[in-house]
Structure formats: structure tokens, C-alpha cells
Amino acid sequence: MTARHGGDTAIAEIRRHGVETMFTLSGGHVFPLYDGAVGETGGRTGTVPGTEADPRILDVRHEQTAVFAAEATARLTRRTGLAVLTAGPGVTNGISGVTTAHFNGSPVVVLGGRAPLGRWGAGALQELDQPPLLAPVTKLAMTATGPDTLASDLARAFTTAAAPHRGPVFLDVHMDHLFGPAGPARAGQIPDPPERPADPERLARVAELLKAARRPVLVLGSDVWMDGAEEAARAFAEELRLPVVANGQGRGILPAGHDLLVTRARGAAFADADLVIVAGTPLDFRLGYGSFGDGTAKVVHLADAPSQLVPHLRPAGSAAGDLSLLFTDLTAACAKAGVSPGTYGDWRESLRDATYAAIAGDIDLLASGADPIHPLRIYGELSKVLDDDAVVIGDGGDFVSYAGKYIEPRRPGRWLDPGPYGCLGTGLGYAIAARLARPAAQVVLLLGDGAAGLSLMDADSLVRHGLPVVMVVGNNGSWGLEKHPMRMLYGYDVAAELRPHCRYDEVVRALGGAGELVTRPDEIGPALRRAFDSGVPYLVNVATDPDVSYPRKTTGV
């Protein structure tokens, strides 16, 4: 295709990197990108703009939703996601999404508009030097050099985002460079990345630690999935017969019910372990900053890149590299060292018993007939209707904390939450991406009522683009994650109340979807079945007991 303008050149490079969807909110600074996606004649022959676009143009109601959708696309498909934001407030509205991608290690390219270079300094509309705002939360933040280098600048953005450790890249382009003539599009295939084997001596050290251990635990985190290492990690765990605690998108690598999965007994596992191997996730607040067994347990950290190895403590062992190769090579190193899975038999049995006891202890609450509704009853009913390949998304505080504990994925790549940055408002963007990435699967979005207020307008985007998603709101009329701790600290709470029984379902109905309010526990199951059978965006608004708080053991500080 002959490049008519910079948008054509940019879109050709975007296609070369395999991008299928451009998430955006319309803005004049980036019009040539839309025109390039629709094609030379698409917008001039009666075609509805966007419907025949390549990549598909999916427009949303808030720029943060566009970036969250691009980030979820990256996390679900393990391919780089793309968000296109117009200049100024379009870019600044997307910064929370970029920061979430930064903390999650999600490969995302955010392509921003920029005031024209020919007017720079004269006060053009939305003139702002944007890369310095994004630099702290991206792998690279830059302005395209000029129209002749637009393709190579984009190639650099995509290559940088996808290289481990993955993360977001921001590139903005002067408006006059997009609208004016640009250099030619690049040709050829994207080369395969080089292999990244871990240091064999470091792996041998880990094998010796496993040989000496009697109570080891393996933690599998999000980067195991993102690095395509889920099969190698499972094979390693099963070969060594290691108890496994799943974290983030590591959930589902060992499916629900697997005899080595002891996530429900993680308290006992971490308290009594003598060796904890943490793979593909930072040793942050979610893992007690790497202190296990009252600080007596040895710690091993495995990461996809040296930059991700723990900086705040000295582990007993560590290694970095392609996690699939790393697990395969570590399995071989353990065999060479004579590590015997039988050594851990009593330890496995004790954790398995603790897991079964925890599951058994939940039965009454998962079937609770309490009125007001106990939030766990929702998860008891939801578990009955979820398919094995369902994608479950959490966006909220206390309500979603229950989901993280009681919804155990049966396959990898089927769980999404905001991650360690804890940014609420991810939900609708994640749901949009999940429906596109998993077109035949159930997609369930679990929303706290506080989180619902941050993104629910994008239910309109679900409706406009024909993306059926089941949304479940745990509606306790409060910011529960703040209300209960504040009461514990001060004996009272302020700025933590929302309107009880607020009709979020009617918001979705007004936007063209469907929904209903549930106030009795026996109504939950039938409402969920109606939602899944509807084939439209459907919100089940469940009024829950405001006095029930999630029994968390960490505040994240």
C-alpha cells in the first residue's frame, strides 16, 4: 500500500507486529491512524468506519479503559497490546492504565497524539511535552523522531515492550507528522528473540537447596504465564512433587483440585516452610516481602530477567532467564543432584490435609442462607455455573478478595485482577479484551460497588460493539476495604459510605444491556443463569451484608 500520510506508515508497522485491535477514544490528533486502519477506500465507499478496519478499531468511553483493554489483551494473549490516545488529556487519562501495565509487566504500546511541531511553543491545543510524564512508569517514553523514521520508531516501541522483562512503552507523534507524508512502511518478518538460558551454576545451587530441604514450597506467579512457561513449570512441580502456591496469573497452571496445589493452605505453607522458591513474581507485600517461616526459611527467586531479581534481600539462590528453559534445565539439574521427591512426602500430606480442611470449612458460608446476603454465597452459586475455560476478572476490594481466595481457575490464562498496583477501574477494559481474546468462553466481571463507579459507563462500549459479558456487583453500599480498617483504627469511619442498593443494574439497562437486583440468597443462582443465557452485557447487582469484611492479613504497607 502506498503511504498517503503518516497514519498509513504507522498502521503498516502495527500490522507487522500482529496487532489485531486498536483500543482508542476518538481524537483529532490521531485521525490518520484511524484512516490508515480503515484503508484507502473504506471510509469513502459507505463502509461504517471501524467495522472493516485492520486492525479493528474499538472505541471506548474513557481513555483509561482503552489502556486497560490493551493491557488485558497482552496478559491474555501474550502479544503486545495497543492503545491509541489523543493528545493532552487523552494521554493523561491513560496514565493509570500505563502504570498498571508497568507493575504487571504487560507489553503494551501506547501511541499518543502530540501537538504539531510546526506550532510547537505557540500554544496549540493540548500542547504538552508528554514523555516526561510517562517515563517513570514505562520501559521507554519518547517522541517519534520525524516522518521519515516513524516506522522504525514504532518498531523500536514494539520490540522494547515485548522484550523481557515486558512492560509498557509510550510513543507520541506530532500531529503534522501523522497528517503529512511519511517514510515508507517496513517489510519482512519480525525476527525471533534470542534464547535466554539461565546460568547453569545458579541452577545447580538451587538444586542443592532442594536436595537439603524437607519442607519446600514453590510459588508460581504471573510471569510464568507471560513467559509461556506454564507447561514447563507444571512439569517441574510434578517431577519434584513440590507443593505449589499460585499467585496472580500463575493461577490455573495447576488446575483446581490438583493434589500439589496448596494455595488454600498458604498460611501454613509459608509459616512452616524451610525453602520457598518464588518464580515469576516480585517478593512484595503479597508475599510478606520474602520473609517466610518467621524469617528462617531460605528463599530462592527465579525471574524472567535479571532486573526483576529481588533487590531488598539476599536470597539463598536466584536465577534469571527464559522461564520455560529455566524450569526445564532446573529439572535436569535436580536429577543430576539426586533430589528425591520422596523426601517431601510427609510435608505434602500435611499441606494437602490443611487444604482439604480449609475447603471443608468454607462449605457452610458458600451455601449461606443469611439475610442480608453473605458475599461468599455469591461465589458458592457462581462456582456451579462456571465452565472450565471461563475467564474471571476481579475489580474491587473486599468483594474481589473473596474471589481471589475462592475462585480457583481450571486453566491458565483465565484470571485477571488489577495486580500489585491495586488500581480499581480496570474491570470494563479487561472485560472488553477478554471477550475479544476468548470469544467462545464465559467472561465474568466481578465488581465491588466502589469499583463499578469508576468504569461502568463503558458498559456502553460492550453494547455498541456486541460484546456479551456477565457482570456481578457485590453491593454492600460502602468502600469496604477502607471502612472496616478505619473503624478498627479510630472507632468510626468517614468518606467510606455509598448508597445502599444503588441500581447499577439499571445503569447497564439504560445503556442497552440488561440486569437485575438480587436481595435474597436463593435468587442468586437463577439470576446468574439468566445472565449467562442472555447473550448481552448483563449485570447481576447483589445486595450484600455491609457488616461482613474480608479477613485480610496484610494491608499492603
Side-chain angles (χ1 to χ4, degrees):
M1 183 180 73
T2 302
R4 299 163 294 147
H5 47 57
D8 284 340
T9 300
I11 290 297
E13 186 64 26
I14 287 166
R15 289 190 188 117
R16 203 168 75 93
H17 286 269
V19 174
E20 296 179 353
T21 304
M22 174 198 303
F23 299 101
T24 192
L25 192 156
S26 187
H29 289 81
V30 293
F31 277 177
L33 294 168
Y34 306 149
D35 188 52
V38 171
E40 290 193 28
T41 60
R44 301 174 178 80
T45 59
T47 301
V48 177
T51 58
E52 300 296 330
D54 177 21
R56 174 178 180 164
I57 298 171
L58 199 148
D59 64 305
V60 296
R61 299 296 297 267
H62 196 292
E63 285 89 358
Q64 72 171 14
T65 299
V67 182
F68 286 138
E71 196 235 342
T73 296
R75 291 171 67 185
L76 290 168
T77 68
R78 298 184 286 205
R79 298 193 301 270
T80 303
L82 173 68
V84 171
L85 309 180
T86 196
V91 170
T92 56
N93 280 347
I95 289 178
S96 287
V98 175
T99 308
T100 297
H102 167 72
F103 276 89
N104 287 334
S106 304
V108 174
V109 170
V110 176
L111 190 52
R114 186 177 175 94
L117 182 61
R119 290 286 189 186
W120 198 259
L125 174 67
Q126 296 166 348
E127 180 183 312
L128 175 68
D129 189 16
Q130 296 159 158
L133 300 178
L134 280 297
V137 291
T138 55
K139 294 181 71 177
L140 173 68
M142 61 176 284
T143 298
T145 308
D148 292 336
T149 62
L150 182 53
S152 59
D153 288 340
L154 264 168
R156 180 185 178 195
F158 276 96
T159 300
T160 302
H165 180 63
R166 300 161 185 84
V169 168
F170 176 75
L171 176 70
D172 64 6
V173 186
H174 285 289
M175 186 178 184
D176 42 355
H177 293 169
L178 275 179
F179 275 86
R186 291 157 58 93
Q189 298 296 313
I190 307 299
D192 292 332
E195 285 195 346
R196 299 175 288 113
D199 183 340
E201 292 186 6
R202 287 176 174 260
L203 296 182
R205 166 65 176 159
V206 176
E208 291 297 330
L209 290 168
L210 274 165
K211 185 176 181 179
R214 294 298 177 266
R215 300 182 305 280
V217 175
L218 173 63
V219 179
L220 298 179
S222 295
D223 289 334
V224 176
W225 161 257
M226 291 301 296
D227 219 28
E230 66 276 10
E231 292 183 7
R234 178 171 176 172
F236 170 69
E238 291 177 337
E239 180 71 22
L240 276 294
R241 303 297 297 160
L242 293 172
V244 171
V245 171
N247 172 286
Q249 282 194 281
R251 302 179 66 201
I253 292 175
L254 267 62
H258 194 288
D259 68 331
L260 294 175
L261 185 65
V262 299
T263 305
R264 290 301 314 279
R266 60 178 281 161
F270 290 161
D272 297 332
D274 60 3
L275 174 67
V276 180
I277 300 175
V278 178
T281 192
L283 291 162
D284 58 18
F285 69 92
R286 296 170 298 170
L287 292 173
Y289 303 102
S291 178
F292 306 103
D294 294 327
T296 61
K298 292 183 171 64
V299 178
V300 169
H301 198 201
L302 308 177
D304 65 349
S307 64
Q308 299 306 296
L309 291 174
V310 57
H312 60 269
L313 58 84
R314 180 174 292 178
S318 65
D322 180 307
L323 289 175
S324 187
L325 283 175
L326 189 154
F327 279 117
T328 300
D329 292 345
L330 182 55
T331 303
C334 287
K336 183 177 180 180
V339 179
S340 172
T343 306
Y344 319 134
D346 291 343
W347 171 239
R348 283 194 303 269
E349 285 295 323
S350 69
L351 291 181
R352 190 178 303 137
D353 290 346
T355 298
Y356 292 156
I359 292 171
D362 297 331
I363 291 174
D364 289 345
L365 283 177
L366 290 166
S368 172
D371 187 2
I373 295 169
H374 193 290
L376 270 189
R377 177 64 183 268
I378 299 172
Y379 294 110
E381 296 298 329
L382 184 60
S383 66
K384 298 174 185 177
V385 295
L386 285 181
D387 295 336
D388 284 358
D389 64 346
V391 180
V392 180
I393 301 161
D395 182 11
D398 273 9
F399 181 60
V400 172
S401 295
Y402 281 113
K405 187 173 183 178
Y406 294 102
I407 299 295
E408 193 65 60
R410 298 183 181 99
R411 297 181 187 176
R414 297 305 196 274
W415 169 264
L416 284 174
D417 61 28
Y421 188 52
C423 182
L424 301 189
T426 61
L428 269 294
Y430 282 10
I432 289 166
R435 174 46 66 217
L436 294 177
R438 306 276 192 269
Q442 293 173 329
V443 176
V444 185
L445 170 58
L446 304 167
L447 289 162
D449 51 343
L454 296 174
S455 67
L456 195 56
M457 190 64 195
D458 263 301
D460 169 71
S461 300
L462 294 174
V463 171
R464 285 185 297 110
H465 295 286
L467 304 174
V469 167
V470 172
M471 294 163 275
V472 182
V473 172
N475 187 347
N476 65 0
S478 69
W479 294 95
L481 187 57
E482 286 69 38
K483 177 178 180 177
H484 298 289
M486 192 171 183
R487 284 187 172 184
M488 179 186 69
L489 288 170
Y490 301 117
Y492 66 88
D493 66 90
V494 295
E497 299 294 331
L498 298 170
R499 188 158 60 86
H501 294 204
C502 186
R503 296 302 299 271
Y504 302 104
D505 53 304
E506 291 189 351
V507 173
V508 174
R509 290 170 60 192
L511 292 172
E516 58 185 286
L517 175 67
V518 172
T519 58
R520 297 195 343 242
D522 60 351
E523 297 173 340
I524 299 171
L528 289 173
R529 286 188 285 275
R530 285 190 290 272
F532 281 113
D533 291 343
S534 70
V536 299
Y538 197 112
L539 189 144
V540 180
N541 187 12
V542 186
T544 63
D545 189 342
D547 292 326
V548 174
S549 62
Y550 181 78
R552 66 186 65 256
K553 296 181 180 179
T554 176
T555 62
V557 295

